[in-house]
Amino acid sequence: MSFLKSFLPPGSAEGLRHQQPDTEAVLNGKGLGNGTLYITESRLSWLDGSGLGFSLEYPTISLHAVSRDLNAYPREHLYVMVNAKFGEESKESVPDEEEEDSDDDVEPIAEFRFVPSDKSALEAMFTAMCECQALHPDPEDEDSDDYDGEEYDVEAHEQGQGDIPTFYTYEEGLSHLTAEGQATLERLEGMLSQSVSSQYNMAGVRTEDSIRDYEDGMEVDTTPTVAGQFEDADVDH
């Protein structure tokens, strides 16, 4: 495949944690042959007998696990999911504008399976992967702990430095409203007043104010009944 390259096997200078010979590499269901898997502190590498292979950077690895489910794959292996494209999928093309927009929302994913001839080595392979992956934390996870808003510097304000937050009374706040803001406030107050006056049931008893409001436009039977229930009113339109 086109992404296979020739390079020297990693050594102690790269922080080699585990070396597993006679390991088959499988990419998205396609076998790449047998070779040696190198788990180093800087990257995960695999080389076949001819010196061709590939390397995976830890920040691109989103998941790794030991898979023993023979229904998913006929042999136990180290499963690695990578956020990148490899092989024929990685070849550049000129997509249509609509396809380009849709591809922006889809993150590329590649699935690697490393199948050692000695399945008892899987635990050691997994442990080395965990240790090396921990040396490369996701920068997005670190940034999520940061607070993006402005902090109030108490010491600076006590020394008369920085901007001091401004607080207004109700009357002062009204004076700072624009004409549009005042109109909006008046409209909201009118809606609130109308909502309060339209309430005609208070603790199961009709109030006299609500009765007068409804008597202006209709004939209503104002006789209250037990437990806040009222008889049906005859309404003439």
Side-chain angles (χ1 to χ4, degrees):
M1 292 187 176
S2 60
F3 72 95
L4 296 178
K5 299 179 180 180
S6 178
F7 58 91
L8 295 177
S12 58
E14 288 80 14
L16 181 62
R17 291 293 186 95
H18 186 87
Q19 178 176 334
Q20 188 63 38
D22 197 13
T23 299
E24 181 185 6
V26 181
L27 169 60
N28 295 332
K30 298 180 180 180
L32 305 179
N34 285 339
T36 301
L37 180 66
Y38 300 89
I39 304 175
T40 71
E41 296 178 356
S42 57
R43 61 184 58 86
L44 180 68
S45 301
W46 179 88
L47 285 170
D48 64 11
S50 65
L52 289 177
F54 59 88
S55 295
L56 305 177
E57 303 294 334
Y58 287 110
T60 65
I61 298 176
S62 58
L63 174 68
H64 69 275
V66 173
S67 176
R68 303 186 188 278
D69 185 2
L70 300 183
N71 292 324
Y73 195 79
R75 297 174 61 191
E76 298 179 14
H77 59 280
L78 178 66
Y79 175 85
V80 178
M81 180 183 291
V82 181
N83 296 330
K85 288 184 178 181
F86 293 86
E88 297 299 327
E89 297 179 351
S90 64
K91 291 184 178 180
E92 296 182 359
S93 60
V94 182
D96 296 335
E97 184 175 352
E98 295 182 358
E99 294 180 354
E100 184 176 359
D101 293 338
S102 61
D103 291 343
D104 291 339
D105 301 332
V106 180
E107 187 174 12
I109 293 178
E111 294 180 317
F112 285 88
R113 302 177 193 272
F114 297 99
V115 189
S117 58
D118 181 11
K119 65 179 183 180
S120 65
L122 284 171
E123 290 298 332
M125 294 165 59
F126 177 77
T127 300
M129 277 285 298
C130 291
E131 294 174 351
C132 294
Q133 184 94 47
L135 300 177
H136 303 269
D138 189 346
E140 294 184 359
D141 293 340
E142 296 178 352
D143 294 340
S144 63
D145 296 334
D146 297 337
Y147 177 67
D148 296 334
E150 296 182 358
E151 296 184 358
Y152 185 87
D153 192 339
V154 177
E155 183 177 354
H157 289 302
E158 289 179 350
Q159 298 176 359
Q161 302 174 357
D163 296 332
I164 300 177
T166 303
F167 301 94
Y168 297 110
T169 63
Y170 177 76
E171 291 77 9
E172 291 174 340
L174 288 178
S175 64
H176 285 78
L177 285 176
T178 63
E180 182 180 358
Q182 292 179 357
T184 301
L185 179 60
E186 292 175 359
R187 183 167 64 255
L188 292 175
E189 289 178 341
M191 294 171 60
L192 178 61
S193 177
Q194 182 179 3
S195 174
V196 172
S197 65
S198 65
Q199 295 177 359
Y200 64 94
N201 188 334
M202 181 180 297
V205 180
R206 290 178 178 177
T207 63
E208 294 182 0
D209 291 340
S210 63
I211 294 173
R212 283 195 297 271
D213 293 339
Y214 279 87
E215 284 179 344
D216 292 340
M218 60 184 71
E219 181 182 351
V220 182
D221 183 359
T222 61
T223 303
T225 58
V226 181
Q229 301 295 325
F230 297 92
E231 298 175 359
D232 294 338
D234 295 330
V235 181
D236 294 333
H237 296 284

